[in-house]
Amino acid sequence: MDTRTSPYRARIAKTQDALARHGLAALLVPSSDPHLSEYLPERWQGREWLSGFTGSMGTLVVARGKAALFADSRYWVQAEAELAGSGIELVKIPTGTATHHVEWLAREAKAGETVAVDGDVIGLAAAQQLRSVLERAGVKLRTDLDLLAEVWPERPGLPTAPVYEHRAPQAPLARAGKLAQLREAMARQGATHHLVSTVDDVAWALNLRGADVSYNPVFLAHLLVTANDATLFVGEGKIDAVLKAALATDGVRLAPYAGAAEALAALPGDAKLLLDPKRVTLGLRERIQVPVVEAINPSTLLKSRKSAAEAEHIRAAMAQDGAAMCEFYAWFESALGKERITELTIDEKLSAARATRPGFVGLSFGTIAGFNANGAMPHYRATPASHAVIEGDGLLLIDSGGQYLGGTTDITRVWPIGRVSEAQKRDYTLVLKGTMALSRTKFPRGTLSPMLDAIARAPLWEQGLEYGHGTGHGVGYFLNVHEGPQSISKAVPDAHMAMEPGMVTSIEPGLYRPGGWGIRIENLVMNVPVASTEFGDFLGFETLTLCPIDTRCIDRSLLRADEVAWLNDYHATVRERLSPLVDGAAKAWLLERTAPI
């Protein structure tokens, strides 16, 4: 990119002019919105607009005379390419939860100066940490200014997509039942009111869905629950008269989206508000004048533990998703070498195959199709301007997923293209060993999920290998593809990360050779009871994902007999479950790819 004409360089300069006008030393631009969402409506994609970096995580800091983007290892190659010509420095950090930007700000700003961040989009805990570090350096923090409103002339407005109801049978528990569960939790905490600000929690609690955010069926709203009623703060016109009446039947009234802060400020003096400090912004917290009970949102725990009825719908969605992949991969293998296939073609054809399946609503994230070196970037996304043709020799990584009325899917597979080297087979097999090792694990109920992380890494660690992302994330029920509180990763454990029956989590170890190839083998699993002994109740994983794991990439000498047995058993299950849902070439492909080794 020509450094003289980069639009991002010009936008940074415009922001620096605004800093000077307001007497500010720097502006912090987090990847966040008023609901602390992972995936953001366009209105709050300011970090991307200013920098050009399109990764889903990262923090931008604009100071006088310089700017820096902080990103973890999943995005380093991508960020270096996207920041070229912008004048923005890439600061490489070890993990997505690192706080290097805070120390950077404390160094760059001088004592007596002021740093700004929009208090309506920064989390309470993050703001408290930022303020503490800056104060030690004699630097003030200003949180009442949205500087993007000045420098972003075509900033998108609020999304206007309609909200709709998630109905039975896919929503087995009625809205009234979920609100009753929240009120029971409020009573246990001695709270009269409860604020729910995270959009997936709001959607779950009210059996509502929307389309305000790409890939996640959620909508922008806050929910205030009392012992007798509830108020949904949502954009005007997003809920039609029929749905409004249905909500009213369950004691839910509507209020303007922008009215949440004012309503919190006006709570009666005898109120006691249940609030999750990790799931609320500084801006909202500062409006609250009544006593607060700080605890995790009850809905966060409740929605993570899928019921038996929900589990059945998830299994059905996984089968439909697997059938769609059989259709796609049968076409792909027959067309390879005969048609021009690119990474973009894969996205188009795989999405089209899913769209024909019952209950399909949309993708659960942007399809990642990475051939050879592109696969070495964990969050790579092909674009019309930059993508690879699938030809020659190597490995093709495809990470994709769908949103179904009965569940959310997320799967990664790696396929051989032409000749696969012995080094590639070795890497592939070591990753597969990690996937299988964790999939077969049994553990006491209540085990903190980060404690399981090393099990998937052990086969790689044994060979001096490692990957920079987490091993597993929770998955929602026709909701966000990334859901807490469980996290199989190197995260510092807390009590809410305890593994409980019904939780759905990914298992996705990987290995990445920059400039060479990338490997990740991912299934979704569900916690299920497996034993009860004198030492307590034990859980194991039911593998939910149904799609063959390619056996042509395996170095057979690296697998033990019990690992071969697990893989053959898994493939037998995939064959049994998917055979009734496919025919013709798709069925022939399924039978071939599930043959025992």
Side-chain angles (χ1 to χ4, degrees):
M1 182 183 292
D2 188 334
T3 59
R4 295 166 298 178
T5 60
S6 164
Y8 307 109
R9 182 179 287 271
R11 291 169 186 174
I12 293 295
K14 187 175 182 180
T15 304
Q16 290 167 334
D17 290 342
L19 291 176
R21 284 197 305 274
H22 288 278
L24 300 171
L27 172 69
L28 173 64
V29 186
S31 298
S32 185
D33 67 4
H35 308 273
L36 306 182
S37 306
E38 178 182 7
Y39 298 100
L40 309 177
E42 290 184 0
R43 178 171 179 78
W44 286 285
Q45 292 179 10
R47 183 220 66 207
E48 180 177 334
W49 182 83
L50 278 169
S51 68
F53 172 61
T54 62
S56 60
M57 292 182 69
T59 301
L60 176 68
V61 179
V62 182
R64 292 171 307 201
K66 63 174 63 176
L69 179 89
F70 298 78
D72 66 58
S73 62
R74 295 171 295 173
Y75 303 102
W76 290 347
V77 175
Q78 174 187 350
E80 285 175 343
E82 292 180 337
L83 295 177
S86 68
I88 300 170
E89 174 194 2
L90 171 62
V91 179
K92 297 179 178 180
I93 60 176
T95 71
T97 57
T99 56
H100 291 59
H101 62 279
V102 177
E103 300 295 339
W104 190 93
L105 277 167
R107 288 195 306 271
E108 291 297 322
K110 298 180 177 63
E113 292 185 327
T114 302
V115 168
V117 65
D118 182 359
D120 287 336
V121 301
I122 188 169
L124 176 61
Q128 290 170 335
Q129 180 189 42
L130 176 62
R131 179 172 279 135
S132 174
V133 173
L134 292 180
E135 283 180 349
R136 288 200 299 270
V139 178
K140 291 173 281 189
L141 180 65
R142 182 175 177 184
T143 62
D144 63 345
L145 179 65
D146 180 6
L147 210 60
L148 288 177
E150 292 186 27
V151 302
W152 191 355
E154 292 90 27
R155 187 178 187 181
L158 293 171
T160 58
V163 174
Y164 58 95
E165 198 151 16
H166 189 213
R167 302 178 181 275
Q170 288 89 357
L173 180 59
R175 178 165 45 245
K178 291 183 175 179
L179 289 172
Q181 289 181 331
L182 296 188
R183 289 177 177 126
E184 289 171 9
M186 291 165 56
R188 287 195 298 270
Q189 297 280 6
T192 61
H193 296 68
H194 173 40
L195 174 68
V196 185
S197 198
T198 35
V199 292
D200 51 330
D201 287 287
V202 173
W204 177 88
L206 297 179
N207 280 351
L208 299 178
R209 298 295 188 268
D212 285 356
V213 180
S214 298
Y215 309 118
N216 295 334
V218 295
F219 56 98
L220 300 188
H222 302 277
L223 178 66
L224 186 61
V225 182
T226 74
N228 302 308
D229 57 23
T231 304
L232 179 64
F233 300 91
V234 65
E236 185 178 357
K238 293 177 68 66
I239 292 181
D240 64 26
V242 174
L243 182 52
K244 180 179 179 180
L247 289 167
T249 300
D250 290 321
V252 181
R253 73 175 190 91
L254 305 183
Y257 173 72
E262 184 178 338
L264 290 172
L267 288 177
D270 59 350
K272 183 176 287 187
L273 181 68
L274 174 59
L275 185 74
D276 188 337
K278 294 183 178 179
R279 293 169 176 84
V280 68
T281 63
L282 173 71
L284 280 182
R285 180 64 181 88
E286 289 184 332
R287 301 301 297 272
I288 299 166
Q289 305 300 319
V290 300
V292 167
V293 178
E294 292 192 349
I296 190 171
N297 281 339
S299 49
T300 300
L301 296 173
L302 290 165
K303 69 182 172 60
S304 72
R305 302 165 186 172
K306 281 62 175 177
S307 67
E310 288 172 333
E312 282 303 309
H313 289 295
I314 292 171
R315 294 183 185 106
M318 293 289 173
Q320 293 295 341
D321 204 59
M325 286 184 286
C326 289
E327 298 280 357
F328 164 76
Y329 287 121
W331 166 82
F332 174 77
E333 291 194 9
S334 67
L336 194 61
K338 302 173 186 174
E339 303 178 28
R340 186 177 187 273
I341 302 175
T342 72
E343 294 165 337
L344 294 175
T345 315
I346 290 168
D347 185 1
E348 174 190 347
K349 293 286 189 178
L350 183 51
S351 298
R354 281 193 166 101
T356 65
R357 288 289 148 180
F360 177 79
V361 176
L363 301 183
S364 57
F365 57 95
T367 300
I368 299 169
F371 184 48
N372 282 342
N374 290 339
M377 294 181 276
H379 281 244
Y380 168 78
R381 183 78 192 275
T383 67
S386 178
H387 59 268
V389 178
I390 313 304
E391 60 185 3
D393 299 323
L395 296 176
L396 171 64
L397 183 153
I398 303 177
D399 188 351
S400 66
Q403 293 283 8
Y404 296 81
L405 292 174
T408 301
T409 72
D410 181 2
I411 172 177
T412 309
R413 292 291 186 264
V414 174
W415 306 98
I417 306 298
R419 178 183 168 275
V420 179
S421 70
E422 293 305 310
Q424 290 170 330
K425 287 184 177 181
R426 176 177 176 271
D427 283 354
Y428 179 94
T429 308
L430 292 172
V431 172
L432 176 58
K433 286 170 72 72
T435 303
M436 291 193 293
L438 186 51
S439 300
R440 300 170 63 197
T441 296
K442 298 178 177 63
F443 48 92
R445 178 177 179 175
T447 295
L448 300 182
S449 50
M451 293 176 64
L452 302 173
D453 181 70
I455 296 171
R457 296 180 191 269
L460 293 161
W461 285 351
E462 189 175 353
Q463 303 298 322
L465 304 171
E466 173 67 306
Y467 52 94
H469 55 76
T471 297
H473 56 83
V475 178
Y477 179 68
F478 183 37
L479 272 175
N480 294 355
V481 74
H482 293 162
E483 175 182 281
Q486 75 273 30
S487 173
I488 303 176
S489 66
K490 294 181 180 180
V492 177
D494 67 52
H496 299 125
M497 294 178 175
M499 293 295 257
E500 295 291 339
M503 286 181 165
V504 175
T505 312
S506 68
I507 293 179
E508 49 180 311
L511 186 59
Y512 308 95
R513 304 280 187 179
W517 59 84
I519 298 163
R520 189 165 61 252
I521 300 173
E522 175 187 19
N523 286 332
L524 299 189
V525 297
M526 183 168 60
N527 296 353
V528 294
V530 293
S532 184
T533 74
E534 67 269 32
F535 297 102
D537 296 330
F538 281 72
L539 302 176
F541 292 124
E542 174 191 342
T543 298
L544 298 167
T545 302
L546 298 169
C547 182
I549 296 171
D550 194 88
T551 57
R552 296 166 293 178
C553 296
I554 291 176
D555 180 341
R556 182 67 176 76
S557 68
L558 297 177
L559 292 186
R560 304 186 307 267
D562 59 307
E563 293 171 324
V564 172
W566 184 93
L567 185 60
N568 286 338
D569 287 345
Y570 172 70
H571 279 154
T573 299
V574 171
R575 178 185 293 209
E576 177 185 357
R577 294 280 305 282
L578 298 188
S579 288
L581 300 178
V582 294
D583 54 23
K587 189 164 190 174
W589 181 87
L590 170 67
L591 297 178
E592 181 179 2
R593 293 286 162 252
T594 55
I597 61 171

